[in-house]
Amino acid sequence: MPNASPLSVADIAAALGALAPRFDVDVLAECDSTNARLLERAEAGAPAGTVIVAERQTAGRGRLGRVWFSAPGDSLTFSLLWRFPHGTSLGGLSLAVGVVLVETVAALGLRDVAVKWPNDVLRDGRKLAGVLIELVPGAHTAAVIGIGLNLRLPATLPEDLIRQTAAIDNHLPRSELLARLLAALHAVLTAFASGGFDALRQRWLARCAHLEQAVRVVSQFAMPVEGRCIGVDADGALLVETPAGIQRILSGDVSLRLP
Ligand code: BTN
């Protein structure tokens, strides 16, 4: 059965090769949320590179207080703790993680994959993966990076979600996929630590779903903004050109503006 291969710490370490000592991976059969569990361990002093991957989450967390649904075996749900040098600005970190995801799935041969600001990965315009970054309280340069990647569309998905959701549908064993993602995260987070998001900005723009398109950005805290998406700045803020000038947007949901 595609993608239902069991997650195994030994297989993940073997696939990581020389990078294996940089990670401490824990595979859980079930937990509420890998982000919640890892935040707890981070506060207790867990080192950078600690990873929790769960076969099943009972209370997966999404952006903006949303719930993240995933069925066992149909997705890869994991969190990685990363500790950045003191003083590192974490602006744009979720976009940097988007670069890892989109480039990794593109390398598997998936076509029409793109990043959607701020931190979704799309396949054929439907959501393939999401990222939720939570800062470790009291340690402002430590972040728990939570990733949910759809491997297969579950049969039981609600009707509205089926239309909006995509999956990898690839036979790569999940342990191998996780190892590839961790290796790519290691490289990108190292680049981020020294150069910030600016070091990755062109790679993000090369995969941007909405660049030069008419968009509408809706946010909980401000009036909707409509205009032309002209990119992102060095901190990962979305830049939208409107009749009133260029708007710099820090939070919201982007959609294509239909004529
Ligand atoms: C989003 O697009 O809203 C972000 C979804 C992030 C989901 C992942 S699954 C693993 C990790 N643990 C969580 O509780 N959430 C993230």
Side-chain angles (χ1 to χ4, degrees), residues 1-237:
M1 200 192 302
N3 293 319
S5 57
L7 286 158
S8 137
V9 171
D11 291 348
I12 296 164
L16 276 167
L19 278 178
R22 304 295 181 103
F23 295 98
D24 179 3
V25 182
D26 196 1
V27 177
L28 303 182
E30 180 178 303
C31 69
D32 51 355
S33 149
T34 56
N35 265 33
R37 292 304 108 234
L38 191 53
L39 277 167
E40 214 170 74
R41 289 192 199 176
E43 286 189 79
T50 304
V51 177
I52 298 181
V53 53
E55 295 283 2
R56 178 177 139 82
Q57 293 186 117
T58 54
R61 300 177 183 174
R63 265 179 75 226
L64 306 172
R66 295 172 187 147
V67 175
W68 180 262
F69 293 103
S70 52
D74 288 341
S75 64
L76 188 60
T77 49
F78 71 99
S79 303
L80 164 68
L81 171 63
W82 208 256
R83 296 184 184 276
F84 294 91
H86 287 294
T88 307
S89 158
L90 299 188
L93 178 58
S94 64
L95 283 75
V97 174
V99 169
V100 169
L101 294 172
V102 75
E103 290 183 353
T104 302
V105 296
L108 295 177
L110 269 67
R111 291 172 184 270
D112 200 9
V113 287
V115 282
K116 176 184 162 189
W117 186 89
N119 49 11
D120 287 351
V121 177
L122 307 180
R123 179 182 193 186
D124 297 326
R126 300 170 179 213
K127 184 156 171 167
L128 179 67
V131 178
L132 177 67
I133 294 188
E134 297 186 80
L135 299 183
V136 179
H140 291 298
T141 49
V144 164
I145 299 166
I147 294 174
L149 177 57
N150 301 323
L151 303 180
R152 211 170 37 181
L153 287 185
T156 55
L157 210 59
E159 190 69 25
D160 55 330
L161 282 185
I162 287 181
R163 280 191 299 276
Q164 301 164 20
T165 311
I168 286 190
D169 281 325
N170 172 287
H171 290 256
L172 191 67
R174 285 187 302 156
S175 294
E176 168 75 33
L177 177 59
L178 178 58
R180 289 192 193 188
L181 288 167
L182 292 176
L185 281 162
H186 185 276
V188 159
L189 296 175
T190 302
F192 186 95
S194 53
F197 174 63
D198 212 21
L200 300 148
R201 200 160 66 97
Q202 291 308 326
R203 282 162 70 180
W204 192 92
L205 288 171
R207 301 279 185 179
C208 174
H210 292 126
L211 194 61
E212 299 302 339
Q213 303 205 45
V215 294
R216 177 180 169 86
V217 188
V218 178
S219 127
Q220 283 176 306
F221 312 107
M223 295 293 286
V225 174
E226 291 191 343
R228 187 171 62 101
C229 170
I230 58 168
V232 286
D233 69 11
D235 295 320

